[in-house]
Amino acid sequence: MINRLALLAAGTLLFAAVPAAAHRQWMLPSATVLSGDDVWVTVDAAISNDLFYFDHQPMRVAGIKAIAPDGSDAAIANASTGRYRSTFDVHLTQKGTYKIENASSFVMGSYMLNGEEKRLPRGTTSATLAAALPAGATNVRTSEAANRNEIFVTVGAPTQAVFKPSGKGIELVPVTHPNDLVAGEAATFQFLLDGAPAAGLGVTVIPGGGRYRAALGQMDLKTDAQGKVVITWPAAGMYWLNASVGGRPEGGPMGAAGPNGPQPGAAAAAGGPAPRRASYVTTLEVLAP
């Protein structure tokens, strides 16, 4: 018993000595490739230090929606939010590829009124910006942001309809279908920013299970002139992928532009176009050959 307690104490000290990692948002499906006629998928959704290990706070279900292969909305069922994670089910009643997403766009910024600096209300969008500014507001400084976190699940053969770009924020266009990934093989994805190829976009890929290994295994890649990036999967498993422009990347340090890169209000103050911030996150399952 003494030896066992000593080992537990040593283990506790070992975990305590590990510095806290950045918080990352993620959705984790119970499976990404399924077959059959009465198929369900369960999804965990959380924000955590270690990927796919719920230890910080849940992702709220209210903003999550599921899109069926024919483009219609699929119901979110059995949703529950606990201390560390949310979980919900989707009944996959159609054959093809579903998209489950948590997407948002909003405007941040400030203005001067009667000699005082005021912040725009939380939840302001491009459509409500004019109404959010009181009469007499001056020196208005704004930054538009678009965040997208999505996963893909296929029943039977994969389809392409859910990948039709909206033209807003960062979006993934598959050259390789995200439900057709195999360890040891290369996959190609194209990324768009507001509908145009996102050239030179930084893409970060991290395998799950990092809590139980010494090396994070992070891959830092960059898109080419067509917004395409090639990823060769080192092993089977679940992977977290993030791409960001402007501001702070999801769960990581400042972007390639660093602390001197685009910041809210900076360009507006100089009379230029409003700074752009966008983030994209997905979870990808890589199967064994």
Side-chain angles (χ1 to χ4, degrees):
M1 177 63 73
I2 292 177
N3 289 339
R4 185 179 179 187
L5 290 174
L7 287 172
L8 286 172
T12 300
L13 290 173
L14 176 62
F15 281 111
V18 176
H23 294 149
R24 298 183 176 92
Q25 300 185 36
W26 48 266
M27 290 191 286
L28 182 68
S30 54
T32 61
V33 181
L34 305 106
S35 60
D37 297 322
D38 186 17
V39 183
W40 291 75
V41 63
T42 295
V43 179
D44 287 332
I47 301 166
S48 66
N49 290 319
D50 292 308
L51 284 171
F52 314 137
Y53 182 88
F54 26 91
D55 61 359
H56 181 55
Q57 66 182 52
M59 180 188 297
R60 301 299 172 183
V61 180
I64 297 175
K65 62 183 293 188
I67 302 170
D70 67 356
S72 63
D73 289 343
I76 301 294
N78 305 321
S80 174
T81 296
R83 172 61 183 84
Y84 290 122
R85 66 168 171 172
S86 292
T87 183
F88 59 90
D89 299 327
V90 180
H91 193 189
L92 310 175
T93 58
Q94 299 180 21
K95 303 293 185 184
T97 299
Y98 286 71
K99 177 166 68 176
I100 301 170
E101 67 173 13
N102 187 355
S104 64
S105 61
F106 52 92
V107 174
M108 302 172 291
S110 64
Y111 57 89
M112 297 297 294
L113 184 66
N114 299 326
E116 294 185 12
E117 184 179 35
K118 305 285 187 180
R119 293 286 177 184
L120 287 172
R122 189 180 182 89
T124 299
T125 66
S126 298
T128 63
L129 176 59
L133 292 171
T138 62
N139 196 25
V140 178
R141 298 154 60 94
T142 63
S143 173
E144 185 176 4
N147 300 321
R148 178 172 285 106
N149 189 326
E150 60 189 21
I151 56 175
F152 305 97
V153 178
T154 293
V155 181
T159 56
Q160 299 285 334
V162 296
F163 298 102
K164 183 180 180 181
S166 68
K168 179 170 289 189
I170 299 175
E171 295 177 280
L172 182 150
V173 177
V175 178
T176 303
H177 195 287
N179 294 144
D180 188 20
L181 307 178
V182 179
E185 296 184 1
T188 301
F189 302 129
Q190 183 184 35
F191 289 93
L192 306 179
L193 176 60
D194 296 335
L201 180 68
V203 177
T204 299
V205 180
I206 303 175
R211 179 179 174 86
Y212 306 106
R213 62 175 183 269
L216 185 60
Q218 177 171 332
M219 293 181 279
D220 293 310
L221 310 166
K222 195 169 287 293
T223 59
D224 64 14
Q226 288 75 46
K228 295 180 180 178
V229 65
V230 179
I231 305 168
T232 299
W233 310 101
M238 291 290 189
Y239 288 77
W240 183 84
L241 182 150
N242 169 234
S244 302
V245 293
R248 186 184 298 275
E250 169 66 30
M254 297 296 292
N260 296 321
Q263 296 298 311
R276 192 73 172 95
R277 301 178 65 177
S279 175
Y280 180 89
V281 174
T282 188
T283 300
L284 301 166
E285 184 176 29
V286 177
L287 301 177

